Amino acid sequence: MPPHENPPPNGRKPPTSTYYNAFTLSYYDIHVLGHNMTRIWRCPTKSVQLPLFQKYFSPPEHTEARCWEHLDVGAGTGFFVAEALKSCLGNRQSMRITLMDNNLSTLKKARRRIEGVVGRLGELATVETVLHDVLDGDIPKSLGEGRYDVVTMFNLFHCLRTTAPEGKKGVFGMAARLLRGDGVLVGCTILPGREYQARGLAGVRVRYTLWLYNRVYKVFGNEGDTRAQLEEGLKAAFEEVEVEVVGSMMIFVARGPKRLGVEG
């Protein structure tokens, strides 16, 4: 099934939608989720990020008899969802997983990977894909406000390139509108500040990598990001916000979405 599509305005395509293709995605897990997360950003995928993702992925035991809805924004290679699904193989709760990304290549790769695990769950899990740029503001028609139990945004915000003051804050607002009243937003993003960098040559390597991804490859857009700025955006959209910094990575968990006219 092709993804639901929300065309970019004026034909604009974010750099990440062309940089991440079949070739670059083939080594994404090893290079980005493996080497970079551990050696550059000092927030290992398997020991820090994946356990956090898994913690909020599975429906709690007391969930009523309904389909558990999970939205993953910035699908990547589908690593996080696929690994989290493996821990749900004995769970009888039905799940509907929606993947949102601005890149058709990542959506296709992530869906194939996740469906390989979903096949072992039978009819208990389904996968949908939505081609959409979160910076466009509007919620795609295929999604519903107040629909999702969990929205995950792992390694998304440092890839958003925008000069609009409210650009990234608006993404938090979008997540709040999509969540049920008792829903949770979970994610992480790279902070560029020197106070979060290692010292010596390791710090030089961090700054070089930030320059490379922001100025040359142009797949990062986090040169102006600060913890205070992002935390402010979260608190504007949610009642409860928890923030922790591990290495150069800001981890956040937000509850109590603030939005009008949505029943949770």
Side-chain angles (χ1 to χ4, degrees):
M1 180 184 296
H4 297 290
E5 186 168 354
N6 196 47
N10 302 320
R12 176 181 59 84
K13 287 188 176 182
T16 52
S17 70
T18 53
Y19 177 82
Y20 289 116
N21 50 44
F23 174 69
T24 53
L25 289 171
S26 68
Y27 60 81
Y28 181 92
D29 286 6
I30 295 175
H31 183 65
V32 175
L33 298 182
H35 176 270
N36 285 3
M37 292 303 168
T38 301
R39 303 297 182 186
I40 306 294
W41 315 123
R42 296 176 296 125
C43 185
T45 297
K46 291 189 176 180
S47 63
V48 179
Q49 296 182 43
L50 181 58
L52 177 69
F53 191 99
Q54 291 173 319
K55 178 180 179 180
Y56 293 96
F57 181 80
S58 301
E61 293 181 0
H62 65 272
T63 303
E64 69 251 41
R66 62 173 176 79
C67 185
W68 181 261
E69 298 268 9
H70 186 112
L71 171 64
D72 187 44
V73 185
T77 61
F79 170 84
F80 288 102
V81 173
E83 291 300 309
L85 265 176
K86 292 175 184 177
S87 64
C88 298
L89 292 178
N91 193 334
R92 303 309 297 172
Q93 172 78 41
S94 61
M95 304 176 67
R96 184 181 294 112
I97 300 161
T98 304
L99 308 175
M100 181 194 294
D101 206 289
N102 60 19
N103 187 328
L104 187 58
S105 295
T106 60
L107 285 175
K108 288 180 177 179
K109 183 175 181 65
R111 181 167 191 154
R112 283 196 302 269
R113 183 178 196 165
I114 294 165
E115 286 184 335
V117 182
V118 166
R120 293 151 65 184
L121 289 167
E123 298 179 356
L124 289 174
T126 58
V127 183
E128 299 176 355
T129 55
V130 179
L131 183 64
H132 178 71
D133 184 353
V134 293
L135 291 175
D136 289 347
D138 294 335
I139 292 178
K141 294 180 180 179
S142 58
L143 305 183
E145 294 196 9
R147 168 182 170 181
Y148 293 96
D149 296 282
V150 180
V151 173
T152 45
M153 296 181 171
F154 275 60
N155 304 307
L156 170 73
F157 278 85
H158 55 257
C159 292
L160 300 181
R161 296 179 64 87
T162 175
T163 57
E166 299 300 316
K168 293 189 178 183
K169 291 181 181 179
V171 178
F172 291 130
M174 182 200 74
R177 290 166 59 198
L178 289 168
L179 282 165
R180 291 167 55 89
D182 57 354
V184 183
L185 168 67
V186 189
C188 59
T189 184
I190 296 166
L191 295 173
R194 288 203 177 198
E195 64 269 35
Y196 308 118
Q197 299 173 8
R199 297 181 179 180
L201 290 176
V204 173
R205 186 166 62 168
V206 170
R207 291 188 287 278
Y208 171 74
T209 304
L210 285 167
W211 171 81
L212 190 67
Y213 285 149
N214 274 286
R215 300 297 183 91
V216 181
Y217 297 150
K218 296 184 179 181
V219 292
F220 275 18
N222 69 338
E223 288 181 306
D225 288 359
T226 65
R227 171 176 173 166
Q229 168 205 51
L230 294 169
E231 202 165 348
E232 179 186 354
L234 282 163
K235 289 180 178 178
F238 292 88
E239 298 287 351
E240 301 177 29
V241 175
E242 302 171 31
V243 171
E244 178 186 2
V245 176
V246 178
S248 294
M249 189 76 69
M250 174 178 145
I251 294 169
F252 55 88
V253 178
R255 299 178 178 85
K258 299 177 183 177
R259 68 274 194 272
L260 299 175
V262 179
E263 295 295 330

